[in-house]
Amino acid sequence: MLNSIKGMKWGDITNTSILNRFEQVSAMYNAIGVDAAQAVQALSQIPISIHCWQGDDVAGFEGNKLSGGGLAVTGNYPGRARNHEELMDDIAEALSYIPGKHRLNLHASYAITDGNDDRDKLEPKHFSKWVEFAKKHSLALDFNPTYFSHPKAEKGTLSSYDDATRKFWIDHGIACLKIAEYFARELDTHSLVNIWIPDGSKDIPADRQTPRKLLKDSLDAILACDYDKEKVFVSVESKVFGIGLESFTVGSHEFYMNYAASRGIMCLIDSGHFHPTENVADKISAMLAFSDKVALHVTRPVRWDSDHVVLFDDEIRAIAGEVIKHGANRVLLGLDFFDASINRIAAWVIGVRATQKALLYALLTPHDKLAELQREGRLTELLIMQEELKTQPFGDVWNYFCQVNNVSVKSDWFEGVKKYENEILSRRN
Ligand code: RNT
Ligand code: ZN
């Protein structure tokens, strides 16, 4: 057991020991008004939208190298998925180590075409294999138009000064709404379409207004198409800046916040898209004071929007706390990281499991009691409780959650990933 992680053995991790420990710690949680069994049950019901693009460094299937928009994937770990068969195999492999039922987040650049249909001509048929895959693995599908890594994206997309370019990208947006409608219909659940564009400039623009007006009109043109608003949710994702876009981002937070509010669509908050000292978790309740739903891209920015693999850290715990307090039906949780310096399948497993740990941690927090302390102004006690909760035996509940969901409790899953790497990934070049 665990030869692949050198010298690391986890001791007494048997079904019985996990169950015994869970029973003991449930009593401890019970004492502070938390039902651990209910938390485990609730966690199994929270879907995370798992991004397909971790598997191939955001390359997609069009043969374009990732370019534009300041997206950067660092690392050159062997075994990148090169086509839809490989990517599907890799996602299925990752899912086998991830507890619970989830969603898969696709980008339009993952269309399965014969190379003749450009992005403005995409249709549901180009995604029928993905729908088949989703059905096979009980996944729902979310979607993203791809406004980068394309020759027509070099000089702006929805805010381009060039009418033909703008039209191309508007048509792409409309095509994507239709595809999401097809996902929703086939899988009998909603589909979130998230719009992110890389438009902006490296140096100080002379006119910030015209590009924003053009973006506004383009978005209006996309939303004017006939699509099923009950099932297709649309979100817009802002960003403070990008590499090569340091001075001006057309789709800034203020722009999209006002746009979304005025058009009855959603904002998507990417945790890497704000100034590093901003508290992204704090934004959720602010958005939800005015809007029924908000969407998230959870990532781990290290000094900038670096899109490191999500870990169980303070930031994700704060975000998960808000998800639990507002409900996963109001905070749509998706991931957005890409790391090519480590095994890509392991990256997915680490990131999704870390997010689930954060959700469980939040589910095991007596939020109402803490809120009562706040309301009564007993702030010293609030601080004491918040600090005490950190050393509650959370890990035993997590182990139990993994066990009842039939996935590896600790790092044993890496045995399987290592085998897959040796047998499959190592053959790719
Ligand atoms: C880029 C945005 C965007 C992308 C994905 C691939 O900064 O975060 O969401 O990462 O669409
Ligand atoms: Zn994002």
Side-chain angles (χ1 to χ4, degrees):
M1 204 204 209
L2 272 181
N3 298 322
S4 54
I5 297 188
K6 230 178 164 182
M8 297 288 280
K9 295 216 168 72
W10 293 110
D12 184 22
I13 304 272
T14 59
N15 288 359
T16 326
S17 74
I18 289 169
L19 192 63
N20 287 343
R21 291 177 73 104
F22 176 70
E23 273 167 14
Q24 281 170 29
V25 307
S26 289
M28 288 176 73
Y29 277 106
N30 216 2
I32 54 163
V34 172
D35 184 332
Q38 215 171 63
V40 165
Q41 181 57 29
L43 184 59
S44 318
Q45 308 300 317
I46 302 179
I48 295 172
S49 195
I50 302 172
H51 54 315
C52 75
W53 52 91
Q54 162 57 48
D56 73 335
D57 312 341
V58 210
F61 305 148
E62 299 165 317
N64 299 316
K65 280 284 287 166
L66 179 61
S67 69
L71 293 185
V73 184
T74 48
N76 196 19
Y77 201 87
R80 184 180 77 80
R82 297 160 302 178
N83 50 50
H84 71 269
E85 287 96 350
E86 290 180 353
L87 188 58
M88 286 175 187
D89 287 350
D90 293 359
I91 294 169
E93 179 69 15
L95 287 173
S96 71
Y97 308 113
I98 293 172
K101 244 180 98 177
H102 299 287
R103 310 176 62 88
L104 177 64
N105 204 359
L106 292 174
H107 242 287
S109 51
Y110 293 81
I112 302 166
T113 71
D114 52 14
N116 293 324
D117 296 301
D118 207 347
R119 291 192 196 165
D120 59 332
K121 302 273 176 328
L122 289 177
E123 288 179 49
K125 67 173 185 205
H126 300 123
F127 289 87
S128 60
K129 290 209 173 80
W130 280 114
V131 167
E132 232 172 81
F133 177 79
K135 285 183 178 165
K136 185 166 166 210
H137 295 277
S138 306
L139 295 160
L141 291 176
D142 292 315
F143 202 44
N144 303 261
T146 311
Y147 288 109
F148 50 85
S149 299
H150 189 283
K152 285 200 166 74
E154 297 298 321
K155 287 193 185 137
T157 63
L158 294 175
S159 79
S160 167
Y161 288 110
D162 179 59
D163 293 345
T165 305
R166 242 177 20 258
K167 165 128 188 4
F168 175 86
W169 290 115
I170 290 168
D171 288 346
H172 177 55
I174 294 171
C176 288
L177 289 179
K178 297 284 168 198
I179 292 162
E181 204 172 52
Y182 157 69
F183 290 165
R185 196 171 55 240
E186 286 289 323
L187 302 166
D188 197 24
T189 163
H190 75 267
S191 181
L192 174 69
V193 175
N194 176 55
I195 299 177
W196 175 76
I197 62 163
D199 298 17
S201 66
K202 178 183 169 101
D203 228 322
I204 305 154
D207 174 10
R208 295 171 186 264
Q209 182 80 91
T210 309
R212 289 195 164 126
K213 279 199 169 134
L214 290 168
L215 174 56
K216 184 175 161 197
D217 291 347
S218 298
L219 291 169
D220 281 347
I222 294 173
L223 296 179
C225 85
D226 181 32
Y227 70 97
D228 182 351
K229 298 190 178 54
E230 294 294 309
K231 291 204 140 178
V232 176
F233 304 160
V234 180
S235 63
V236 279
E237 178 181 9
S238 69
K239 189 164 177 168
V240 63
F241 87 101
I243 301 289
L245 304 158
E246 288 84 356
S247 298
F248 177 49
T249 301
V250 184
S252 62
H253 187 52
E254 292 73 11
F255 176 89
Y256 280 136
M257 207 162 61
N258 283 292
Y259 186 81
S262 60
R263 303 306 192 264
I265 60 166
M266 250 183 262
C267 275
L268 182 141
I269 306 282
D270 181 305
S271 52
H273 286 193
F274 295 84
H275 188 280
T277 65
E278 281 189 68
N279 177 351
V280 171
D282 174 69
K283 298 174 189 301
I284 297 169
S285 55
M287 302 299 307
L288 292 180
F290 298 93
S291 161
D292 178 44
K293 291 181 179 16
V294 65
L296 300 182
H297 269 180
V298 178
T299 182
R300 182 167 54 102
V302 178
R303 299 187 186 277
W304 74 292
D305 184 28
S306 60
D307 288 308
H308 279 62
V309 177
V310 168
L311 299 177
F312 181 57
D313 62 10
D314 284 347
E315 200 176 342
I316 176 75
R317 277 198 291 272
I319 291 172
E322 296 301 315
V323 175
I324 296 309
K325 281 180 259 182
H326 294 282
N329 58 333
R330 295 192 70 198
V331 189
L332 310 184
L333 194 52
L335 300 178
D336 184 11
F337 53 78
F338 22 95
D339 192 340
S341 71
I342 58 173
N343 180 300
R344 291 174 186 78
I345 294 165
W348 264 316
V349 180
I350 295 165
V352 180
R353 287 175 61 123
T355 307
Q356 290 180 296
K357 280 181 201 156
L359 290 166
L360 182 61
Y361 185 86
L363 285 161
L364 291 169
T365 301
H367 295 290
D368 293 346
K369 290 216 162 117
L370 298 180
E372 211 175 295
L373 291 174
Q374 177 181 326
R375 199 165 42 244
E376 292 171 0
R378 292 158 65 182
L379 302 183
T380 312
E381 288 147 89
L382 175 58
L383 198 61
I384 292 170
M385 274 309 287
Q386 285 169 328
E387 194 56 18
E388 285 300 343
L389 284 164
K390 291 181 189 165
T391 50
Q392 279 285 93
F394 157 80
D396 289 314
V397 185
W398 169 256
N399 291 348
Y400 176 76
F401 171 71
C402 290
Q403 181 176 301
V404 295
N405 279 281
N406 295 316
V407 297
S408 302
V409 166
K410 286 234 173 241
S411 50
D412 296 26
W413 59 265
F414 190 59
E415 285 278 290
V417 172
K418 200 69 198 153
K419 185 162 180 272
Y420 188 82
E421 177 171 309
N422 292 338
E423 289 170 8
I424 295 170
L425 300 182
S426 67
R427 304 232 164 95
R428 299 177 189 165
N429 44 46

